[in-house]
Each structure stands twice: as C-alpha cells, then as structure tokens.
Amino acid sequence: MACAAEHRDQPSATPPPAGNPLTSKLLHFAPLSNSDRQHLDRLAAPEERFPASVDIIAEGMVPRSVFLLKEGMAMRYRNMPDGGRQIMTFLIPGDLCDMHVFLLKEMDHSIGTITPVRVAPISRESLMDLFASRPRISAALWWSSMQEEAMLRERIVSLGRRDARGRVAYLLCELLWRHRAVGLTNGEVFRLPLTQTELGDTLGLTPVHINRVLKEFRQRSLISMDRRMMSLLNVEELQALAGFNKDYLHLGGTSPEVTRYFDGLEANLKR
C-alpha cells in the first residue's frame, strides 16, 4: 500500500486540467505532485470579492497579504501627477498580485479591478511555508516570477520600438496565450472586457488611435469582437505584425531532467 501511495503522488507526464487556475498556471513551470495540487487548492479556498473599478490595494498602502486572482480581470497601474494613468499589466485568473509585496513597506503601485473579481488572500506565513517545504511549488513560483519580469521587458520593447499596430497585435497575442495557459480560451477566442481607454493606457496610445487600429484589424479579418469576446482570426499575421514570439512566456513545460531533479530533491527532504 505504501508503494501505491507513493506512485499516486508522482506528477504525471501529461497532467489533467486543474480546476484551480493557479495550479493550471504553475503546471507549465514545474511538475506538481498530487500533494502539491491539494496544498494549492487549500490555499485558494478562502475567498474575498471586489466589484469592478475599485482598488484591491492602492499605492501607499501597507500590503496585508498576497492575493490570488480566481475569477475576473484586474490591472497593475500607476496614476501620474498630470491625471494620466499607466497600466503595467493585466491580471487574469491564476495570477498573484503580487508575490513579493511582503518585501515592500508600502505599495509603489496599485492593483485595481476591471471586472468583478474573486480573490484568495494568502498570508505571509503560508507563502513562506511554500518556499520552505514545497520545492516543486517554490520552483514554479520562481518561474512564474520570471515570466512576469519577461512580460514587463516585452512591454518596454513594445512601447519603445513597435508602432501602434504592432503594440495592439502584441498585447492581443499575449493575452491569448496567457488565457490559454489557464484553460480560458475556446480556440482563439477569449474574454476581453477592456475599454479602448484601458488599452490606450497600457500601450501609450489615445483611445482614438486604439479605435482606428482595431477597426483596421476587423476590416482585414484579423479579429472580431462580440459581447466582450475577442476572436483572433489570423494569429500568424498578428504575431508577424508584432514580431511576437511567445517563448518569453516560458509556457513550454518542464524537461525530464527538471522532473528528475525534483524527484531527488523531495527524496532528500523526506530523509
């Protein structure tokens, strides 16, 4: 019986879809055991709800916990002295906002909701326990943090070097791949509850310019939009317009060498 239990706890080569969006995301970065998945489910069980267009935590506040986004869409942003706003990134189910807040004496940016959201608060103690006792989850969170940094680098490239068409195409492609990673797409269709103002505040463009680009994309049969559902009709051409390569999202999964490393690491921890 002991051997059978050990076998059940091993990560499978092709894990089934996870109901917990954080688990779905982290499975792209490290092979998680059944015990790891159950632990993540317990972390995600508590729930708080926020309506649309409010701050979950505002710039200048002292962070009380890490929040796991379970449902809805939020954004990481900064308000500017002139009344403008810069959106750094969008948060979708499975994202943490954000993992390193405990290092901050106060928030240097805000996390705001775009739609009504459900979040799970994760305490400092629970997060530190993950790093101390769950090597697979710890590594997956590390890779997830690397993905966030890569996304910010790509945003800098986009704002500095892509034209308006390239910026919009890049963001649509990134959102498609991120939604797909947590099982929130139907083919090339995903929910996009963003206004043209929010897109403009992300890409450094005016709402009028965003409207012009989206209209052109529809006329060229690159996209269609119906009731906040975005459909990318020609992903290849959109990626070509943006010079987009999804490799920066690190969604390729783990190699057999990495899996064997974690097997050995966990064996040492049990001794």
Side-chain angles (χ1 to χ4, degrees), residues 48-123:
E48 296 181 15
R49 294 173 180 258
F50 293 85
S53 304
V54 300
D55 284 337
I56 297 174
I57 186 167
E59 184 177 352
M61 292 179 63
V62 178
R64 60 182 174 88
S65 63
V66 173
F67 291 98
L68 163 64
L69 190 64
K70 298 169 63 175
E71 183 179 273
M73 183 177 254
M75 60 183 172
R76 184 176 288 114
Y77 74 96
R78 286 277 304 274
N79 283 320
M80 308 306 293
D82 63 359
R85 176 181 64 177
Q86 178 64 53
I87 298 174
M88 278 81 79
T89 190
F90 296 109
L91 303 170
I92 66 172
D95 288 339
L96 294 169
C97 46
D98 63 39
M99 193 170 65
H100 303 104
V101 293
F102 294 133
L103 301 176
L104 303 176
K105 293 182 179 179
E106 62 181 36
M107 292 290 291
D108 58 8
H109 63 280
S110 300
I111 304 291
T113 63
I114 293 172
T115 68
V117 302
R118 295 189 299 119
V119 301
I122 303 175
S123 69

Side-chain angles (χ1 to χ4, degrees), residues 13 40-41 54 58 62 111 131 143 159 184 205 229 231 253 268:
L40 289 172
D41 286 343
V54 300
V62 178
I111 304 291
F131 290 113
W143 275 99
L159 292 175
L184 293 177
L205 300 169
M229 298 302 293
S231 178
N268 289 332

Side-chain angles (χ1 to χ4, degrees), residues 60 140 250:
H250 303 292

Side-chain angles (χ1 to χ4, degrees), residues 81-237:
D82 63 359
R85 176 181 64 177
Q86 178 64 53
I87 298 174
M88 278 81 79
T89 190
F90 296 109
L91 303 170
I92 66 172
D95 288 339
L96 294 169
C97 46
D98 63 39
M99 193 170 65
H100 303 104
V101 293
F102 294 133
L103 301 176
L104 303 176
K105 293 182 179 179
E106 62 181 36
M107 292 290 291
D108 58 8
H109 63 280
S110 300
I111 304 291
T113 63
I114 293 172
T115 68
V117 302
R118 295 189 299 119
V119 301
I122 303 175
S123 69
R124 181 201 307 262
E125 292 74 22
S126 296
L127 194 63
M128 297 306 294
D129 177 66
L130 286 180
F131 290 113
S133 63
R134 297 278 174 174
R136 296 176 189 272
I137 298 178
S138 177
L141 289 172
W142 180 62
W143 275 99
S144 177
S145 181
M146 288 180 60
Q147 183 196 61
E148 292 176 11
E149 293 175 3
M151 287 164 53
L152 290 175
R153 288 194 295 271
E154 193 69 15
R155 187 67 48 83
I156 292 170
V157 171
S158 191
L159 292 175
R161 290 298 176 181
R162 292 186 175 110
D163 62 14
R165 296 178 185 85
R167 293 183 198 183
V168 176
Y170 134 77
L171 183 60
L172 294 178
C173 290
E174 180 183 275
L175 288 172
L176 170 68
W177 286 105
R178 289 177 61 200
H179 280 80
R180 180 173 290 172
V182 291
L184 293 177
T185 58
N186 180 11
E188 276 68 51
V189 181
F190 61 98
R191 189 165 185 264
L192 188 68
L194 302 177
T195 66
Q196 292 177 5
T197 296
E198 289 162 344
L199 289 171
D201 287 347
T202 306
L203 300 174
L205 300 169
T206 66
V208 172
H209 208 160
I210 292 288
N211 180 65
R212 188 179 303 126
V213 172
L214 292 176
K215 181 178 179 181
E216 177 186 334
F217 283 2
R218 287 193 294 268
Q219 291 173 341
R220 295 172 58 179
S221 298
L222 299 179
I223 65 170
S224 66
M225 186 82 174
D226 182 36
R227 299 178 183 178
R228 295 193 168 188
M229 298 302 293
M230 172 63 69
S231 178
L232 305 192
L233 305 176
N234 192 330
V235 175
E236 292 77 12
E237 187 167 347

